[in-house]
Amino acid sequence: MKIYTKTGDQGTTALYGGTRVSKHHIRIESYGTLDELNAHIGLLRDQAIDPTYQAILAEIQDRLFTAGAIMATPPDKERLKNGALRLQIDRITADDIALLEQEIDRMENTLPVMTHFILPGGHTIVSFCHIARCVCRRAERLAVHLHELEPIDESVLHYLNRLSDYLFVLARKLSNDLQAEEVKWIPRQSQTES
């Protein structure tokens, strides 16, 4: 299969099921942002970090492809007239969300209590994680917008919400593992009053 098809030269692309839409359509923005997030997570996974984190991140990358497939499929193309699934699309499951929650709890049990907002940074690897978290939040906002216009499986929304939490806690855990300083954000007004 050739990588270039020339079918998108006029600014349209095909969703699953064949419907053509503009490349700026909310569905394209939504799953395109998931693709961007997946690339950032790949960059993070390629760093010298604990193999346990790398394995979880690889699982997350797989789940993001599933979420993208869900977003790329218009509701009218998911089912045949008799109600049977037209396209066999994998789903985000309660177990996928539970894995993130378990990992968040496991990491938080080893971290000091957070008393302030934290400035992103302190180490390049930690910064990569914070960038992934920010892109995840944008992906979530776009998914919510898409869901308001054309409902999608709500498990995608739940997964993205939990994933941004996971990435925040992972950034804190990586700071701890790498002995990088977590810089607390203290508003200027608070600094002058103390």
Side-chain angles (χ1 to χ4, degrees):
M1 182 172 105
K2 281 190 172 187
I3 193 66
Y4 61 91
T5 62
K6 302 183 183 180
T7 57
D9 288 354
Q10 300 306 310
T12 65
T13 191
L15 299 172
Y16 282 178
T19 304
R20 293 200 71 81
V21 296
S22 170
K23 290 186 177 185
H24 67 74
H25 189 280
I26 185 63
R27 282 192 179 277
I28 309 307
E29 285 289 339
S30 295
Y31 72 72
T33 303
L34 287 186
D35 189 34
E36 181 184 353
L37 172 58
N38 211 328
H40 282 292
I41 289 176
L43 177 63
L44 178 59
R45 187 171 58 90
D46 287 342
Q47 303 307 305
I49 59 176
D50 187 301
T52 303
Y53 307 148
Q54 291 174 327
I56 298 294
L57 292 169
E59 175 65 19
I60 289 167
Q61 288 186 289
D62 176 82
R63 299 293 72 210
L64 289 176
F65 264 96
T66 293
I70 291 167
M71 288 181 175
T73 307
D76 63 321
K77 299 295 183 181
E78 284 188 17
R79 298 192 175 275
L80 299 170
K81 289 181 182 175
N82 67 5
L85 282 177
R86 175 180 295 182
L87 300 169
Q88 293 298 323
I89 300 172
D90 195 10
R91 296 288 174 206
I92 301 294
T93 67
D95 287 344
D96 296 325
I97 296 165
L99 174 65
L100 296 177
E101 292 171 349
Q102 291 161 10
E103 288 301 307
I104 290 168
D105 293 344
R106 185 182 63 77
M107 290 186 292
E108 278 193 324
N109 286 334
T110 67
L111 294 171
V113 175
M114 197 173 83
T115 58
H116 291 78
F117 286 110
I118 298 167
L119 296 179
H123 191 284
T124 303
I125 294 173
V126 174
S127 294
F128 288 152
C129 195
H130 278 294
I131 290 168
R133 173 186 56 80
C134 292
V135 175
C136 186
R137 284 289 191 208
R138 178 162 35 95
E140 181 186 9
R141 291 190 301 271
L142 287 167
V144 167
H145 185 195
L146 172 60
H147 183 65
E148 289 172 355
L149 298 173
E150 300 176 6
I152 59 172
D153 185 341
E154 287 188 3
S155 65
V156 172
L157 305 179
H158 302 166
Y159 189 80
L160 292 175
N161 183 267
R162 213 65 83 253
L163 178 56
S164 62
D165 294 337
Y166 168 82
L167 291 168
F168 177 76
V169 176
L170 179 60
R172 290 199 68 217
K173 184 69 169 89
L174 289 168
S175 287
N176 188 272
D177 292 355
L178 296 163
Q179 299 178 346
E181 181 185 3
E182 278 191 338
V183 178
K184 296 175 182 175
W185 177 67
I186 300 171
R188 288 181 182 174
Q189 183 179 358
S190 297
Q191 291 174 9
T192 57
E193 289 174 356
S194 54

